[in-house]
Amino acid sequence: MELPTEARASAPQLQCLVDELKVDHLNRGVLIPLKTTQEVRQDHTIVNAIITRAPTKCANEVIAALRDTQAEGNGNTLPHLRRCAKPADLPAHLKTQFMNDTPAGRQIHTSKSNWIYIIVGEAKDFTHEQVVACLSLIDGLEQEPFVTTIPVPLLAPTSQVLAAMWSSQFWPTVYRKNNPLGPHPSIVSRGTDEIKDDASLWITLAHRVALEAKEKGIGEAMGAVIVQRDEKGAELVALAGDARWHMDSHPLSISNNPMTHCVLRAISMVAQKLVRHERRASGLPIETPVLEYDAFQDAPLLDTEKQCFEQEHPNKDGYLCHGLELYVTHEPCVECSMGILHSRMGKVVYSKHMPRTGGLSSDDRPDGGGRGLGLFWRRELNWSLLAWEWERDGVPDLPPVHPTTHA
């Protein structure tokens, strides 16, 4: 089925709209990376670690001997803590404790020390007797080897500030510029740099589509835009407004059908573009959904949707939305968030946080509404992506929606 002439002619009109928005809607607003559920709820679990001390010249021998006592494959479970620490580098409370415990401790801490403290490992992995027996075989140690336990943080710090705080409270701690609780900071920074210039453009376009859906009476004022980015920049792939009211008068309609949310409609339009390409390449007829009986309502209903839908998908290889970017006026609900994951989207930016119904944010729901899900980054799911909340700048407020509305 060939595209109607008027539909093909409408594509330049959409490009003109995008170009028009570029004049006033680039480099606007602020992108705030979402935090994972682990980052939001991190409780800084504290565990007990065994430590000992030895003359500096014996340190390597002690570490090797302790390593031999560990079960095979049981490596260092506390890599964020310095294995060795000079007496002067210990937190003040540990210095005071070890200095006053024994005469040997006072000597070690009050003169130019040639001793060093060593972390053995988590207390659950060793017994006190094991460690003493191991150390007793090494020349140069105290007659009764020093072995004690101290509390330490189990997980690595997520910032230099946190590492410094733990160094003063627990044990000298290293920040390795990573994030054990979410995406690596360099990945988030690079992703932000990639989209920060034109994120406001695509959010503004989603805003236009949302108003069009509201004005036409097919749904709430919510809109979604999907783009593909490469070395030449970002290119529009799909857009859709909310259509939850479109079939309200039809006897077969589903009341407030969640499959007509703007995010799922936009994803489905990407899929239809790919199917259209495959059928055309195979010489097969192109079929369009019959909206009277179609739950997704994913045929173009708005003028802007029609203009975009008739354009070809810029990348016809790969899986559905793999690596694409979604810009949406409101935080997607749980169902739409899972649809985003299953479609393999690469990045998501939303403008309005939906604290009671959104699925991407990790913040707990208000008034005892339950835990936030943070679906953009969950280790138990088989896909993760980067997500941001965009703080509005230069884009007027959309008509309000009830806080319990699912977007």
Side-chain angles (χ1 to χ4, degrees):
M1 182 182 72
E2 288 298 318
L3 302 178
T5 303
E6 62 274 13
R8 293 199 302 271
S10 68
Q13 297 176 16
L14 182 59
Q15 186 58 49
C16 287
L17 172 59
V18 173
D19 291 341
E20 173 193 322
L21 294 177
K22 285 180 180 178
V23 176
D24 296 316
H25 292 284
L26 290 174
N27 298 294
R28 306 291 295 270
V30 178
L31 289 167
I32 304 173
L34 297 194
K35 291 190 177 298
T36 68
T37 54
Q38 288 185 299
E39 288 177 297
V40 168
R41 297 176 200 131
Q42 57 181 312
D43 56 6
H44 301 312
T45 302
I46 303 300
V47 297
N48 285 323
I50 296 178
I51 65 169
T52 186
R53 65 189 175 205
T56 304
K57 63 181 180 181
C58 300
N60 288 336
E61 187 179 356
V62 170
I63 292 171
L66 292 170
R67 188 180 295 124
D68 290 341
T69 67
Q70 292 180 289
E72 186 175 351
N74 186 11
N76 182 11
T77 58
L78 303 168
H80 53 289
L81 303 179
R82 292 196 184 279
R83 191 66 185 264
C84 301
K86 296 177 181 178
D89 294 335
L90 295 180
H93 69 282
L94 291 183
K95 288 181 193 175
T96 303
Q97 176 186 336
F98 299 156
M99 185 186 301
N100 296 324
D101 274 353
T102 63
R106 281 191 291 277
Q107 184 179 2
I108 288 170
H109 282 269
T110 55
S111 61
K112 187 176 180 181
S113 180
N114 62 348
W115 284 69
I116 198 164
Y117 285 88
I118 302 169
I119 281 193
V120 176
E122 282 190 68
K124 69 179 181 62
D125 297 327
F126 301 87
T127 66
H128 186 278
E129 291 74 19
Q130 273 182 311
V131 177
V132 170
C134 172
L135 297 176
S136 298
L137 302 175
I138 300 174
D139 293 335
L141 298 189
E142 297 164 274
Q143 187 173 4
E144 294 183 8
F146 172 86
V147 177
T148 190
T149 60
I150 62 170
V152 296
L154 175 62
L155 298 176
T158 56
S159 70
Q160 189 64 55
V161 172
L162 190 56
M165 185 173 70
W166 285 356
S167 294
S168 66
Q169 293 178 339
F170 299 103
W171 184 268
T173 305
V174 180
Y175 173 56
R176 303 189 186 280
K177 295 185 179 180
N178 61 0
N179 182 3
L181 308 176
H184 195 284
S186 65
I187 295 176
V188 177
S189 177
R190 187 164 61 247
T192 303
D193 288 342
E194 287 174 352
I195 68 173
K196 65 181 182 181
D197 292 340
D198 59 8
S200 50
L201 166 68
W202 304 117
I203 285 286
T204 303
L205 183 57
H207 186 280
R208 292 285 184 95
V209 177
L211 288 177
E212 192 177 342
K214 179 74 171 178
E215 290 166 0
K216 193 166 181 179
I218 65 170
E220 293 278 6
M222 298 172 176
V225 168
I226 297 175
V227 305
Q228 175 177 280
R229 190 178 302 273
D230 55 26
E231 62 278 359
K232 294 179 287 187
E235 185 174 355
L236 183 62
V237 176
L239 52 77
D242 183 74
R244 69 188 66 198
W245 304 331
H246 182 242
M247 287 184 69
D248 270 5
S249 60
H250 195 278
L252 299 177
S253 69
I254 304 172
S255 178
N256 204 10
N257 180 6
M259 289 181 287
T260 59
H261 291 181
C262 60
V263 167
L264 293 186
R265 293 187 70 231
I267 290 173
S268 186
M269 288 184 192
V270 174
Q272 288 187 64
K273 284 189 175 187
L274 295 173
V275 170
R276 184 173 68 194
H277 168 73
E278 291 173 359
R279 295 184 69 87
R280 187 176 291 151
S282 302
L284 298 173
I286 298 171
E287 301 171 352
T288 55
V290 180
L291 293 190
E292 286 78 2
Y293 305 98
D294 189 84
F296 281 92
Q297 297 294 288
D298 52 3
L301 298 172
L302 308 172
D303 291 341
T304 312
E305 291 177 356
K306 293 173 184 176
Q307 294 169 26
C308 182
F309 186 71
E310 305 310 340
Q311 295 176 330
E312 292 300 314
H313 193 304
N315 180 14
K316 302 173 183 65
D317 300 319
Y319 179 82
L320 195 49
C321 295
H322 188 274
L324 301 185
E325 299 171 7
L326 171 69
Y327 297 85
V328 59
T329 55
H330 296 71
E331 179 187 358
C333 67
V334 174
E335 180 190 59
C336 289
S337 296
M338 289 305 297
I340 290 167
L341 291 176
H342 287 309
S343 70
R344 299 298 189 261
M345 198 75 69
K347 299 182 181 74
V348 177
V349 179
Y350 65 76
S351 179
K352 183 173 177 54
H353 175 39
M354 300 295 288
R356 295 177 185 271
T357 62
L360 293 181
S361 171
S362 301
D363 296 333
D364 289 347
R365 305 191 189 283
D367 304 323
R371 289 286 180 95
L373 297 177
L375 292 175
F376 79 101
W377 192 278
R378 295 289 293 255
R379 290 179 176 177
E380 63 269 37
L381 300 178
N382 65 354
W383 185 256
S384 58
L385 48 88
L386 299 180
W388 293 262
E389 181 176 354
W390 183 79
E391 282 200 346
R392 189 170 51 86
D393 177 19
V395 178
D397 258 337
L398 288 166
V401 298
H402 194 275
T404 61
T405 302
H406 290 74

PDB file of all heavy atoms in Angstrom, residues 1-10 310:
ATOM      1  N   MET A   1       0.847  -1.184   0.000  1.00  0.00           N
ATOM      2  CA  MET A   1       0.000   0.000   0.000  1.00  0.00           C
ATOM      3  C   MET A   1       0.885   1.237   0.000  1.00  0.00           C
ATOM      4  O   MET A   1       1.709   1.438   0.882  1.00  0.00           O
ATOM      5  CB  MET A   1      -0.888   0.024   1.251  1.00  0.00           C
ATOM      6  CG  MET A   1      -1.830   1.213   1.289  1.00  0.00           C
ATOM      7  SD  MET A   1      -2.826   1.249   2.803  1.00  0.00           S
ATOM      8  CE  MET A   1      -1.578   1.707   3.992  1.00  0.00           C
ATOM      9  N   GLU A   2       0.750   2.062  -1.011  1.00  0.00           N
ATOM     10  CA  GLU A   2       1.525   3.299  -1.093  1.00  0.00           C
ATOM     11  C   GLU A   2       0.934   4.359  -0.168  1.00  0.00           C
ATOM     12  O   GLU A   2      -0.263   4.379   0.089  1.00  0.00           O
ATOM     13  CB  GLU A   2       1.539   3.824  -2.540  1.00  0.00           C
ATOM     14  CG  GLU A   2       2.399   2.998  -3.477  1.00  0.00           C
ATOM     15  CD  GLU A   2       3.848   2.995  -3.078  1.00  0.00           C
ATOM     16  OE1 GLU A   2       4.369   4.069  -2.689  1.00  0.00           O
ATOM     17  OE2 GLU A   2       4.475   1.933  -3.119  1.00  0.00           O
ATOM     18  N   LEU A   3       1.770   5.219   0.337  1.00  0.00           N
ATOM     19  CA  LEU A   3       1.300   6.309   1.186  1.00  0.00           C
ATOM     20  C   LEU A   3       0.535   7.319   0.358  1.00  0.00           C
ATOM     21  O   LEU A   3       0.905   7.614  -0.780  1.00  0.00           O
ATOM     22  CB  LEU A   3       2.488   6.999   1.861  1.00  0.00           C
ATOM     23  CG  LEU A   3       3.364   6.094   2.718  1.00  0.00           C
ATOM     24  CD1 LEU A   3       4.524   6.903   3.270  1.00  0.00           C
ATOM     25  CD2 LEU A   3       2.563   5.481   3.840  1.00  0.00           C
ATOM     26  N   PRO A   4      -0.545   7.863   0.882  1.00  0.00           N
ATOM     27  CA  PRO A   4      -1.280   8.903   0.158  1.00  0.00           C
ATOM     28  C   PRO A   4      -0.372  10.088  -0.130  1.00  0.00           C
ATOM     29  O   PRO A   4       0.509  10.426   0.652  1.00  0.00           O
ATOM     30  CB  PRO A   4      -2.406   9.283   1.126  1.00  0.00           C
ATOM     31  CG  PRO A   4      -2.514   8.142   2.087  1.00  0.00           C
ATOM     32  CD  PRO A   4      -1.162   7.548   2.172  1.00  0.00           C
ATOM     33  N   THR A   5      -0.626  10.747  -1.278  1.00  0.00           N
ATOM     34  CA  THR A   5       0.205  11.882  -1.670  1.00  0.00           C
ATOM     35  C   THR A   5       0.187  12.979  -0.612  1.00  0.00           C
ATOM     36  O   THR A   5       1.219  13.545  -0.269  1.00  0.00           O
ATOM     37  CB  THR A   5      -0.300  12.457  -3.007  1.00  0.00           C
ATOM     38  OG1 THR A   5      -0.286  11.411  -3.973  1.00  0.00           O
ATOM     39  CG2 THR A   5       0.584  13.597  -3.460  1.00  0.00           C
ATOM     40  N   GLU A   6      -1.003  13.250  -0.048  1.00  0.00           N
ATOM     41  CA  GLU A   6      -1.081  14.321   0.949  1.00  0.00           C
ATOM     42  C   GLU A   6      -0.308  13.942   2.214  1.00  0.00           C
ATOM     43  O   GLU A   6       0.234  14.805   2.910  1.00  0.00           O
ATOM     44  CB  GLU A   6      -2.545  14.641   1.295  1.00  0.00           C
ATOM     45  CG  GLU A   6      -3.351  13.511   1.911  1.00  0.00           C
ATOM     46  CD  GLU A   6      -3.984  12.593   0.871  1.00  0.00           C
ATOM     47  OE1 GLU A   6      -3.584  12.692  -0.314  1.00  0.00           O
ATOM     48  OE2 GLU A   6      -4.882  11.823   1.238  1.00  0.00           O
ATOM     49  N   ALA A   7      -0.262  12.631   2.529  1.00  0.00           N
ATOM     50  CA  ALA A   7       0.487  12.213   3.710  1.00  0.00           C
ATOM     51  C   ALA A   7       1.974  12.379   3.481  1.00  0.00           C
ATOM     52  O   ALA A   7       2.706  12.825   4.361  1.00  0.00           O
ATOM     53  CB  ALA A   7       0.164  10.752   4.041  1.00  0.00           C
ATOM     54  N   ARG A   8       2.433  12.003   2.263  1.00  0.00           N
ATOM     55  CA  ARG A   8       3.860  12.153   1.970  1.00  0.00           C
ATOM     56  C   ARG A   8       4.243  13.626   1.975  1.00  0.00           C
ATOM     57  O   ARG A   8       5.332  13.994   2.407  1.00  0.00           O
ATOM     58  CB  ARG A   8       4.173  11.530   0.610  1.00  0.00           C
ATOM     59  CG  ARG A   8       4.011  10.014   0.581  1.00  0.00           C
ATOM     60  CD  ARG A   8       4.767   9.427  -0.606  1.00  0.00           C
ATOM     61  NE  ARG A   8       4.340   9.977  -1.875  1.00  0.00           N
ATOM     62  CZ  ARG A   8       3.356   9.478  -2.593  1.00  0.00           C
ATOM     63  NH1 ARG A   8       2.677   8.433  -2.157  1.00  0.00           N
ATOM     64  NH2 ARG A   8       3.038  10.023  -3.758  1.00  0.00           N
ATOM     65  N   ALA A   9       3.356  14.465   1.547  1.00  0.00           N
ATOM     66  CA  ALA A   9       3.673  15.899   1.485  1.00  0.00           C
ATOM     67  C   ALA A   9       3.689  16.535   2.870  1.00  0.00           C
ATOM     68  O   ALA A   9       4.244  17.612   3.062  1.00  0.00           O
ATOM     69  CB  ALA A   9       2.641  16.606   0.608  1.00  0.00           C
ATOM     70  N   SER A  10       3.078  15.848   3.866  1.00  0.00           N
ATOM     71  CA  SER A  10       2.998  16.452   5.192  1.00  0.00           C
ATOM     72  C   SER A  10       4.288  16.312   5.979  1.00  0.00           C
ATOM     73  O   SER A  10       4.494  17.019   6.958  1.00  0.00           O
ATOM     74  CB  SER A  10       1.854  15.811   5.990  1.00  0.00           C
ATOM     75  OG  SER A  10       2.159  14.462   6.280  1.00  0.00           O
ATOM     76  N   GLU A 310       4.213   8.827   8.711  1.00  0.00           N
ATOM     77  CA  GLU A 310       4.478   8.538   7.301  1.00  0.00           C
ATOM     78  C   GLU A 310       5.958   8.589   6.971  1.00  0.00           C
ATOM     79  O   GLU A 310       6.380   8.111   5.919  1.00  0.00           O
ATOM     80  CB  GLU A 310       3.708   9.528   6.412  1.00  0.00           C
ATOM     81  CG  GLU A 310       2.207   9.593   6.660  1.00  0.00           C
ATOM     82  CD  GLU A 310       1.540   8.227   6.663  1.00  0.00           C
ATOM     83  OE1 GLU A 310       2.118   7.271   6.124  1.00  0.00           O
ATOM     84  OE2 GLU A 310       0.433   8.116   7.223  1.00  0.00           O
TER      85      GLU A 310
END
